[in-house]
Amino acid sequence: MDKKVGNRDNVVPVRRKKKSKPVTGREIGILVAAVILLFGILLYVFLEGSMDTILVEGNETYTQDEVEQVIRESKMNNTIFFTVLSKFSKNDYLPFIDRAEVRFLGMHAVMVEVHEELRAGMIQEGSGYFYFDKDGMVLETSDTRMKDVPLVSGLKMEDCVLNEKIEPREEGVFAIILKITQLILNYELPIQEIQFNTLSDIRLVTTSITVKMGNSSELDAKMAELPSVLKELSGREGTLNMANFTEENKVISFMDREVEEAQAQAQEQVEAEAQAQAEGQVQEEEQGQEEQQEQEKEQDQGQ
């Protein structure tokens, strides 16, 4: 009988699992030594890396003490841990700090470079000031009025609430406020107050000049022209009228404060004289009525 020979190509070799080598005492010793070394390094960093000095740069409205205080209140008092963790967060410690960059200066000192977000404006309620950003969000309240932030006045407002948008009662005012404040920031205008007497009588106030803007039409053109006009009027005081200004028809007039005061005094005098004349006429009429009554009385008695 013929012996059948199997096809070796179809045979799958079976690999035997290698037996794992037992961990030697030497390897355990190395692992323990590494853990101890790592723990020692962390303990050294924790004990020796006390954050004694915090230097701050880039701050404009916030003080060194304000930034340092809020960092220390975070309970992070280790220079190395603080520097490493700062790489993974925005570090917006205060409402108008957009971000901050931390640099390691040594085991006991760090440098914090802050990038502040400009306050678009503020609204006064009682003795307090509510500061809002370019989106109209109220981010900060304070009893202090910052000189470089324009005050928005003359509005009928709902109560200002921290971390909520300002809500004027008049429709459409909110968009006008944000547009004006953003243009003030863009052109770096020295505006201290934005007055909304009515929607057709908006005024911008600097330390020496009141700008009559009229209504909100042509705001972009008016605000673009304003920096050069204010520069020409440097050192003068008075009222700048841009109510009829358009990009095609650049009508601007200016009246010095002295002329304004003289005209105001003349107007007051005219009004006072008119009032005195009116009062004199009233007195004459009353006197005439009294005389007539006396005559009628005498006639009645004669009869």
Side-chain angles (χ1 to χ4, degrees), residues 6 8 12 40 43 75 83 90 94 97-98 108 111 142 152 165 169 182 196 206 214 224 230 239 253 268 278 300:
R8 292 184 179 182
V12 178
L43 183 62
K75 308 301 181 183
T83 304
K90 192 176 179 181
L94 289 163
I97 289 183
D98 183 55
H108 303 287
M111 168 69 76
S142 175
V152 180
K165 286 190 174 182
R169 294 176 185 173
Q182 287 173 358
F196 282 84
T206 71
L230 291 178
T239 300
S253 62
E268 288 176 1
D300 292 339

Side-chain angles (χ1 to χ4, degrees), residues 91-219:
N91 306 321
D92 48 350
Y93 307 112
L94 289 163
F96 284 95
I97 289 183
D98 183 55
R99 69 184 192 280
E101 299 170 1
V102 179
R103 297 200 302 272
F104 180 77
L105 299 181
M107 289 301 292
H108 303 287
V110 293
M111 168 69 76
V112 179
E113 182 180 357
V114 299
H115 300 267
E116 293 190 20
E117 178 183 0
L118 294 176
R119 294 160 178 80
M122 63 180 167
I123 293 171
Q124 184 177 8
E125 282 193 3
S127 60
Y129 298 93
F130 292 77
Y131 293 89
F132 58 90
D133 65 7
K134 58 182 175 58
D135 299 316
M137 187 72 70
V138 178
L139 296 182
E140 187 177 46
T141 63
S142 175
D143 295 330
T144 304
R145 176 177 175 176
M146 296 183 181
K147 63 179 182 179
D148 295 328
V149 181
L151 172 68
V152 180
S153 64
L155 291 176
K156 294 179 180 179
M157 302 281 298
E158 301 296 339
D159 292 338
C160 290
V161 180
L162 193 63
N163 297 322
E164 292 186 10
K165 286 190 174 182
I166 56 176
E167 296 183 0
R169 294 176 185 173
E170 297 180 40
E171 187 176 354
V173 174
F174 179 74
I176 298 173
I177 293 172
L178 291 186
K179 187 167 187 177
I180 291 175
T181 54
Q182 287 173 358
L183 289 170
I184 288 173
L185 294 176
N186 291 344
Y187 292 110
E188 299 180 350
L189 295 168
I191 304 300
Q192 293 189 332
E193 186 174 355
I194 305 169
Q195 296 177 347
F196 282 84
N197 297 326
T198 64
L199 286 179
S200 59
D201 184 13
I202 302 170
R203 304 187 181 196
L204 307 181
V205 182
T206 71
T207 55
S208 58
I209 293 176
T210 298
V211 185
K212 290 183 177 181
M213 302 292 287
N215 57 31
S216 58
S217 64
E218 299 283 345
L219 269 179

Side-chain angles (χ1 to χ4, degrees), residues 44-45 48-52 78-80 104-109:
Y44 172 79
V45 169
E48 296 297 324
S50 61
M51 195 157 55
D52 299 333
N78 185 279
T79 53
I80 296 178
F104 180 77
L105 299 181
M107 289 301 292
H108 303 287

